[in-house]
Amino acid sequence: MKGPQPSVHPFFPVPTSRRVRWTSVGLAVFALSFAATAGASGRDAITVAVDSTKRIAIVDKPARWAGMENDRGPVADRTPLDHLSLTLRRTPERQQAWETLLNEQKDPASANYQHWLTADEIGERYGASTHDIDTIGAWLGAQGLRVDDVSRSRMRIRFSGSAKDVASAFATELHYFGTGTEKRIANTSDAKIPAAFASAVQSVTGLRSVKFTPTHHVSTPQSRSIGANSPQPAGTNCNGSDCEYFVFPADFAKIYHLDAANLQGIDGSGQTIAIVGRSRIYDPDITNFQSLTGLPTRSATVIVPPGGIDPGPPASTCSDTGTPSCTNPDDAVGDQFEATLDVQRAGSVAPGAAIDLIVAKDTDTSNGIQLAIEYAIDTTPLPAHVLSISYLSCEADNGIAVVQSIDELFTQAAAEGISVFVASGDSGVAGCADHTQPPPASQSAGTNALCASASVTCVGGTQFADAAQPALYWSVNSSAHYLSALGYIPEGAWNEPLNDSGVARLGATGGGVSL
């Protein structure tokens, strides 16, 4: 195939999380004093009285963008902050039992092999104790913060409050930082929690903005009128024997032996694929694609998680120069393109599967992708057993707290039998850099933070080795449903360090070792 091949986009309502509030000073005093004697059961991680004057720091790495040169001053005291969360720790006994379960679920010789649990079962058997959750909740309430809910896994407490109260609770300052055209929030020093929570709290997230970007990259739009009786698009834009070939669903099936003769009826029927995003899709984009390519016509079910903001209606058109733009991956239509691509390809690779598109809009203080991921994992019954995420945020733009929180979620997904697939990105191991630009003088490794967990499959792009003898792999003319591939095409990891003009760039399939 001619030109750069972007990363593969892997294919792939529940009761609202329990809402808990601690508002009584009496309850707070009771919980804090009770902590001194609770722990005899071995389930409690908090075994001493909570004294807010005795603190420990949760050490984290500063985000790449949160340097003094980008500091734009303090966040106003009354600024409301929501969707913050504390990721909890298990007691050593429960952690050992948890790891044993995860290993046994993958061992065919074990009675627990593929014996998946619900989020509620995970919370009851392996989550934090009621005592620990109540004690932490009471402390948050005493700091003027509001506990919004506790995850079903009992490993996350979500809370909210004003910037002033949040900063005071964690003994830090919150500032705005400029990053290009964006303004983000970050704490200027490590968050500090009561020393009594050392064995109960792993990290706090939400003090620092998290920005996920779609991993697709849109080339210059090409306008073509195709239909049942129109010219076939195989072998277009030819320069001698060098042509462009479009990978239609029929081509994908032919190349990877997913046609009816090989699959023998296995087409995803009975399964549901969840796709997370920040935009709704324009239904005619999906149904037209399905009609043209001979796929069954079916729409995705759009879900906005409780507490999430609906992105609103999708765009029905775009332009090269106007707004919305056809080529800008960072605007709302960029999110819509991502969702459209993911739904189209999931539905073409597994045409029998149902598709759930879980979407939430970003706000200044909440991350829609995180909300969608949490919804897909921390619910009973599960919306899907396959979860596809085509977004990235490199580790160096975040910190340990974000990666720990994500890893806890994805490990929970593994115990529930959810297969999670994440697109790795297109900048090799330099995940923070733009793959279309020349390599900067100073580079740093930074894999996609969503790929850092061992409980996900991080999917990178491949490229076909077909340029030397295209006639071996492609027909110049298309047959039914625009099929032009002749069979499997040798391939390798995508790596194109030069663009079409011969200029150096960072174009390569993503990945690397977690920082």
Side-chain angles (χ1 to χ4, degrees):
M1 300 180 71
K2 183 179 179 182
Q5 303 307 308
S7 289
V8 170
H9 285 65
F11 49 92
F12 308 83
V14 29
T16 307
S17 295
R18 283 168 296 213
R19 201 164 179 80
V20 185
R21 295 179 184 273
W22 284 266
T23 55
S24 167
V25 175
L27 173 60
V29 172
F30 171 77
L32 297 184
S33 61
F34 182 65
T37 57
S41 66
R43 290 186 52 184
D44 301 333
I46 302 173
T47 58
V48 298
V50 179
D51 182 350
S52 289
T53 66
K54 297 178 180 178
R55 299 280 188 132
I56 59 167
I58 302 179
V59 179
D60 201 354
K61 291 186 176 181
R64 205 174 45 132
W65 46 268
M68 292 181 60
E69 68 280 5
N70 295 327
D71 196 328
R72 300 294 182 265
V75 177
D77 286 349
R78 294 185 178 181
T79 303
L81 301 179
D82 52 18
H83 296 97
L84 297 95
S85 65
L86 290 171
T87 301
L88 307 182
R89 293 184 188 273
R90 295 178 177 86
T91 61
E93 296 81 7
R94 284 207 156 191
Q95 182 64 31
Q96 183 176 359
W98 174 240
E99 292 174 4
T100 298
L101 170 74
L102 293 170
N103 289 328
E104 289 178 346
Q105 286 179 320
K106 295 178 286 188
D107 181 2
S110 170
N112 281 324
Y113 178 58
Q114 294 190 354
H115 179 69
W116 313 124
L117 302 183
T118 67
D120 290 314
E121 289 172 332
I122 290 171
E124 178 60 31
R125 302 179 194 179
Y126 304 100
S129 70
T130 299
H131 162 264
D132 288 349
I133 290 173
D134 285 351
T135 302
I136 295 170
W139 177 79
L140 288 169
Q143 309 308 305
L145 305 177
R146 181 178 65 253
V147 174
D148 297 314
D149 59 55
V150 177
S151 67
R152 294 182 180 276
S153 68
R154 302 175 66 88
M155 290 303 293
R156 291 177 302 282
I157 299 176
R158 186 180 295 171
F159 62 96
S160 54
S162 69
K164 178 181 179 181
D165 289 339
V166 170
S168 175
F170 295 98
T172 186
E173 293 183 8
L174 298 176
H175 280 214
Y176 286 115
F177 292 84
T179 60
T181 59
E182 290 183 303
K183 189 168 66 172
R184 303 185 190 178
I185 294 173
N187 46 315
T188 59
S189 60
D190 286 330
K192 298 178 180 63
I193 58 174
F197 294 167
S199 298
V201 174
Q202 179 174 230
S203 57
V204 54
T205 55
L207 302 181
R208 181 187 299 169
S209 300
V210 178
K211 176 69 173 178
F212 290 113
T213 57
T215 52
H216 81 279
H217 298 281
V218 181
S219 58
T220 303
Q222 300 182 45
S223 178
R224 265 186 188 72
S225 252
I226 63 173
N229 300 313
S230 67
Q232 306 297 318
T236 57
N237 295 343
C238 294
N239 181 12
S241 62
D242 184 12
C243 299
E244 289 182 343
Y245 294 90
F246 297 89
V247 182
F248 279 81
D251 296 314
F252 190 91
K254 185 72 172 179
I255 294 167
Y256 295 108
H257 304 294
L258 300 179
D259 50 348
N262 288 290
L263 282 183
Q264 299 178 350
I266 301 174
D267 63 353
S269 295
Q271 292 291 325
T272 301
I273 300 167
I275 294 168
V276 300
R278 286 194 298 243
S279 171
R280 291 176 176 268
I281 52 177
Y282 184 55
D283 279 341
D285 286 338
I286 307 301
T287 54
N288 289 343
F289 176 80
Q290 292 167 336
S291 176
L292 285 170
T293 56
L295 296 169
T297 302
R298 60 193 308 174
S299 299
T301 299
V302 178
I303 300 171
V304 179
I309 304 299
D310 191 327
S316 59
T317 185
C318 60
S319 69
D320 296 343
T321 56
T323 301
S325 165
C326 291
T327 57
N328 183 2
D330 296 324
D331 62 17
V333 173
D335 287 314
Q336 184 176 331
F337 279 160
E338 185 63 71
T340 302
L341 173 62
D342 295 352
V343 170
Q344 284 180 343
R345 286 301 177 174
S348 65
V349 173
I355 308 293
D356 284 345
L357 177 61
I358 307 173
V359 297
K361 182 180 179 180
D362 280 355
T363 69
D364 289 340
T365 57
S366 68
N367 186 285
I369 297 299
Q370 283 184 304
L371 288 176
I373 292 172
E374 288 186 24
Y375 178 87
I377 294 170
D378 195 56
T379 182
T380 302
L382 289 173
H385 279 90
V386 179
L387 175 59
S388 172
I389 306 170
S390 295
Y391 280 78
L392 65 80
S393 181
C394 71
E395 283 190 308
D397 271 352
N398 295 285
I400 299 170
V402 170
V403 173
Q404 286 176 334
S405 176
I406 291 170
D407 180 55
E408 179 59 46
L409 264 173
F410 288 158
T411 305
Q412 176 184 336
E416 294 171 355
I418 301 175
S419 298
V420 182
F421 298 91
V422 180
S424 65
D426 291 336
S427 301
V429 297
C432 296
D434 182 347
H435 86 280
T436 65
Q437 300 301 313
S442 176
Q443 299 181 44
S444 61
T447 192
N448 185 355
L450 292 166
C451 285
S453 174
S455 296
V456 303
T457 301
C458 193
V459 184
T462 64
Q463 62 187 142
F464 295 137
D466 60 348
Q469 295 178 293
L472 290 178
Y473 309 109
W474 300 97
S475 170
V476 176
N477 298 308
S478 295
S479 56
H481 308 310
Y482 303 101
L483 172 65
S484 58
L486 301 176
Y488 178 71
I489 305 174
E491 61 189 326
W494 177 58
N495 181 34
E496 290 189 287
L498 302 177
N499 65 17
D500 289 343
S501 301
V503 178
R505 62 176 184 181
L506 283 169
T509 191
V513 178
S514 169
L515 298 177

